[in-house]
Amino acid sequence: MTPRVAMRRRSAEAAPTEPTEKGNEGKNQNNRIYLLVSLSLFFWALLFYFHFTEKQIQLQPQPSSSISLRVHKFPLDPPKEKEPLVTTLPPAPVIVEKQEFPFVRALKTADNKSDPCGGKYIYVHDLPAKFNEDMLRDCKKLSLWTNMCKFTTNAGLGPPLENVEGVFSDQGWYATNQFAVDVIFSNRMKQYKCLTNDSSLAAAIFVPFYAGFDVARYLWGYNISTRDAASLELVDWLMKRPEWEIMRGKDHFLVAGRITWDFRRLSEEETDWGNKLLFLPAAKNMSMLVVESSPWNANDFGIPYPTYFHPAKDSEVFEWQERMRNLDRKWLFSFAGAPRPDNPKSIRGQIIDQCTNSKVGKLLECDFGESKCHSPSSIMQMFQASLFCLQPQGDSYTRRSAFDSMLAGCIPVFFHPGSAYTQYTWHLPKNYTTYSVFIPEDDIRKRNMSIEERLLQIPPEQVEIMRENVINLIPGLIYADPRSELETLKDAFDVSVEAIIDKVTRLRKNMIEGRTEYDNFVEENSWKYALLEEGQREAGGHVWDPFFSKPKPGEDSSGESNGGGTTISADAAKNSWKSEQRDKTQ
């Protein structure tokens, strides 16, 4: 009995201890849960604290050192993960960039299809009168040998021509001076349909400065300070205008009815020729339209010399074209001009000889005593009776005669690419074989090629096609009467303005896209770029390179290095003025 009782007692004594241990164990488990919850809440509190602290830091940038410390302590949000987000944002930067250009509004006008002037607006600077109208009031001083007053009448067309011999049509013919483009162009601009007073809409900005008249009045007997004065004042005036700041003048253009060499004085020597307008830094940004441009510079562009025909209506052009189609042309070729005995490389003497010795050639010699050469009626009558008209270089690359001959429906024959093909790329087809014949000067000078035999090799049906092409070019080579406007045809003014607008528009779009129009642009090769095919972006070697290679220092500029061409720059300009003096003497 005793052992069993003892066991019961031990069992009875041990029984009450079980619930006590279970209770303690429950309490410990609850404490651990509370501890874990507290730690979790504290962790999340820290996380939220630094999360919002980071946003405040982003709104108010701190010094780089403090940011660096925070990043190292809290690698949950390292900057290495944020940097790509900033640099790889979609095209947002492009949109911002476009909005920064002040000419975007002008570009957008082209998108408005209901606006016939969209993308065509021209803003004209209101220049002080001393830059234009005052010159016309003092017209007697515009030329040393010619009274230009009569040539500035009729909006720059000059006095009407009488049609005594029936060479002209009844209307639209004037005794226009070959250097009168300044005033003709400016007066045509007054009739332009898309003028605007809001320069922010302008596709281009016109500067009505009579640059050709300005330089002409001071070329002889004046120092370089006088010759440069108006050009320097003009540039100073333009650079103070808000319109200039839009593109630093790259959307500005002006016209000068003279050859480019009158505006490219190379030195500050008093004996050097012309002024330095086209070498002024500001002028290098502008586009200058001249009757002869430089093949080695990018800021001037060739436009046609004015002819004697200035129609007021489309019908006058159509009637003239039809008349030129139906003419009986008895001469195979003709030439109107004088020899150049002072220039040993000139081929004019040989051309005159060939005209004289040919039974199918006609010569109108323009030397002293031959007044018919300076009669518009005599010149046009000969051209109208010729299938081909010879156009060698004059005192410089170009001649007004080339445009007079094409106006007469005569196929031009050129001997130097600088006489037309690289000059008037806005107005003449790139494929020169469709409307002209090219005979390199050396074929005449060295090989004494027979011009008659060369022209007779062209099949009659091809001659017919070429003549029709020339006649179709007539509207774009003439300047319509500035006091009227053609209905549907585009004259030389319209073609020039469209080309300038296209040039400025391409430049603006390239600026927005951050690209250039050409790769590795070389200004000395400027003549090549207009000849490039669509899509070409770089000018390489060209078959005409020998014609335009500039003479090296110490070399004779009339030598072989420039393809046997005429003397360039100052000498060419001086020779041009000698011819003008000769005209006045006669």
Side-chain angles (χ1 to χ4, degrees):
M1 294 291 296
T2 304
R4 189 177 296 178
V5 172
M7 290 179 63
R8 286 179 181 172
R9 284 181 180 174
R10 283 196 294 269
S11 301
E13 289 175 359
T17 64
E18 290 181 11
T20 302
E21 290 176 358
K22 287 181 180 179
N24 290 337
E25 183 180 351
K27 286 181 181 180
N28 292 336
Q29 188 173 1
N30 289 337
N31 289 339
R32 285 194 296 269
I33 292 174
Y34 292 146
L35 179 61
L36 289 173
V37 170
S38 299
L39 289 174
S40 177
L41 289 174
F42 179 73
F43 173 80
W44 285 106
L46 287 175
L47 188 62
F48 277 104
Y49 170 79
F50 287 107
H51 175 72
F52 288 108
T53 302
E54 179 194 17
K55 286 189 176 182
Q56 291 178 357
I57 292 174
Q58 289 175 339
L59 293 173
Q60 299 179 354
Q62 300 297 320
S64 58
S65 59
S66 62
I67 293 176
S68 175
L69 288 173
R70 181 181 61 77
V71 169
H72 286 300
K73 290 176 71 175
F74 301 99
L76 293 173
D77 196 17
K80 289 183 179 179
E81 295 179 2
K82 289 185 173 258
E83 286 177 359
L85 293 177
V86 175
T87 56
T88 57
L89 287 175
V94 177
I95 296 175
V96 173
E97 186 179 2
K98 286 183 179 180
Q99 293 174 346
E100 291 177 354
F101 291 100
F103 49 73
V104 170
R105 186 181 178 213
L107 287 176
K108 287 183 177 179
T109 63
D111 299 331
N112 185 359
K113 303 306 179 183
S114 63
D115 182 3
C117 289
K120 302 176 183 178
Y121 286 108
I122 297 289
Y123 177 85
V124 181
H125 275 300
D126 185 15
L127 295 181
K130 64 181 178 180
F131 293 120
N132 40 49
E133 295 301 324
D134 284 353
M135 297 185 203
L136 300 185
R137 296 188 186 99
D138 205 11
C139 54
K140 290 182 179 180
K141 297 181 179 179
L142 292 179
S143 175
L144 183 61
W145 302 291
T146 305
N147 182 0
M148 291 294 293
C149 293
K150 69 176 183 178
F151 294 112
T152 59
T153 60
N154 293 312
L157 304 182
L161 285 172
E162 295 183 3
N163 191 23
V164 178
E165 300 180 48
V167 176
F168 314 124
S169 47
D170 293 332
Q171 295 177 325
W173 291 82
Y174 298 84
T176 305
N177 186 276
Q178 66 174 335
F179 300 126
V181 171
D182 301 58
V183 64
I184 294 174
F185 202 98
S186 292
N187 284 324
R188 280 283 284 114
M189 184 62 76
K190 295 174 183 177
Q191 302 294 329
Y192 184 64
K193 295 180 180 180
C194 296
L195 295 178
T196 179
N197 291 324
D198 185 351
S199 61
S200 69
L201 296 176
I205 296 176
F206 180 57
V207 182
F209 173 48
Y210 294 163
F213 287 170
D214 169 58
V215 72
R217 56 185 175 169
Y218 299 130
L219 279 174
W220 298 94
Y222 292 88
N223 59 32
I224 59 175
S225 297
T226 303
R227 284 181 261 159
D228 293 338
S231 298
L232 293 171
E233 290 178 27
L234 173 74
V235 166
D236 182 66
W237 187 91
L238 289 173
M239 294 179 68
K240 293 177 181 177
R241 299 289 301 174
E243 294 82 11
W244 182 268
E245 293 300 320
I246 296 175
M247 295 181 70
R248 307 295 296 173
K250 292 182 179 179
D251 54 356
H252 285 50
F253 71 104
L254 66 160
V255 174
R258 301 200 67 89
I259 61 177
T260 190
W261 316 114
D262 287 334
F263 310 97
R264 294 189 178 279
R265 192 182 70 245
L266 296 172
S267 74
E268 295 302 302
E269 296 293 330
E270 295 290 343
T271 55
D272 208 347
W273 181 260
N275 67 27
K276 60 180 181 181
L277 171 59
L278 283 174
F279 283 136
L280 297 177
K284 288 184 177 181
N285 283 350
M286 296 190 285
S287 298
M288 189 155 163
L289 313 188
V290 289
V291 293
E292 177 177 316
S293 63
S294 165
W296 308 295
N297 298 98
N299 61 334
D300 58 358
F301 302 87
I303 59 174
Y305 284 87
T307 65
Y308 303 110
F309 186 39
H310 306 282
K313 297 182 296 184
D314 285 9
S315 59
E316 296 176 13
V317 182
F318 296 144
E319 290 171 5
W320 178 257
Q321 288 177 300
E322 192 60 27
R323 180 177 171 180
M324 294 304 99
R325 291 186 179 100
N326 298 323
L327 288 176
D328 180 24
R329 300 176 184 269
K330 60 181 180 180
W331 302 111
L332 176 65
F333 63 97
S334 64
F335 173 61
R340 292 291 185 269
D342 295 336
N343 183 359
K345 291 297 181 180
S346 174
I347 63 172
R348 284 189 167 213
Q350 290 166 280
I351 287 177
I352 290 173
D353 290 341
Q354 291 203 34
C355 287
T356 303
N357 298 327
S358 173
K359 294 181 179 180
V360 292
K362 175 66 175 176
L363 173 67
L364 195 63
E365 194 167 0
C366 301
D367 211 349
F368 290 101
E370 183 58 68
S371 60
K372 283 187 177 181
C373 189
H374 306 284
S375 163
S377 179
S378 298
I379 294 173
M380 293 301 294
Q381 191 173 37
M382 184 183 72
F383 288 160
Q384 290 175 29
S386 306
L387 287 174
F388 296 94
C389 292
L390 309 183
Q391 302 296 342
Q393 295 186 76
D395 300 298
S396 59
Y397 290 130
T398 62
R399 306 179 72 207
R400 171 187 178 156
S401 175
F403 295 98
D404 290 333
S405 66
M406 285 189 279
L407 176 60
C410 186
I411 300 168
V413 179
F414 296 110
F415 302 86
H416 193 291
S419 296
Y421 307 145
T422 63
Q423 286 285 344
Y424 310 108
T425 56
W426 294 346
H427 300 79
L428 296 175
K430 187 179 297 185
N431 184 359
Y432 61 87
T433 63
T434 62
Y435 70 92
S436 71
V437 177
F438 179 58
I439 302 176
E441 287 180 333
D442 276 353
D443 285 355
I444 305 298
R445 182 186 302 112
K446 296 181 178 180
R447 290 176 276 279
N448 198 27
M449 172 187 284
S450 169
I451 297 173
E452 178 180 334
E453 292 180 5
R454 171 68 176 84
L455 297 178
L456 286 174
Q457 292 174 0
I458 305 174
E461 57 273 17
Q462 182 64 28
V463 173
E464 185 75 21
I465 294 172
M466 294 171 71
R467 182 168 66 249
E468 180 63 22
N469 290 337
V470 170
I471 293 172
N472 289 333
L473 288 173
I474 289 176
L477 302 179
I478 59 177
Y479 295 93
D481 192 327
R483 298 160 296 187
S484 308
E485 57 184 68
L486 302 179
E487 295 87 2
T488 61
L489 296 176
K490 295 178 181 179
D491 72 341
F493 167 87
D494 295 317
V495 174
S496 301
V497 171
E498 284 188 4
I500 281 291
I501 289 176
D502 183 58
K503 173 181 178 290
V504 174
T505 299
R506 291 198 317 270
L507 176 60
R508 288 174 170 177
K509 290 181 177 179
N510 285 336
M511 290 174 66
I512 290 174
E513 296 169 4
R515 60 178 302 207
T516 58
E517 185 165 7
Y518 302 110
D519 297 330
N520 304 314
F521 179 81
V522 179
E523 185 172 16
E524 192 168 316
N525 291 332
S526 293
W527 63 272
K528 297 182 181 182
Y529 290 95
L531 306 179
L532 294 179
E533 297 298 331
E534 189 72 26
Q536 284 187 284
R537 291 180 49 83
E538 191 165 356
H542 198 281
V543 67
W544 290 337
D545 281 339
F547 288 95
F548 298 107
S549 58
K550 296 180 73 173
K552 299 176 182 179
E555 286 184 349
D556 180 6
S557 62
S558 63
E560 296 298 326
S561 62
N562 71 339
T566 182
T567 304
I568 59 173
S569 192
D571 290 338
K574 287 179 182 178
N575 291 334
S576 177
W577 276 86
K578 288 179 182 178
S579 297
E580 192 171 342
Q581 182 183 21
R582 181 180 64 229
D583 296 348
K584 176 61 178 175
T585 302
Q586 293 179 7

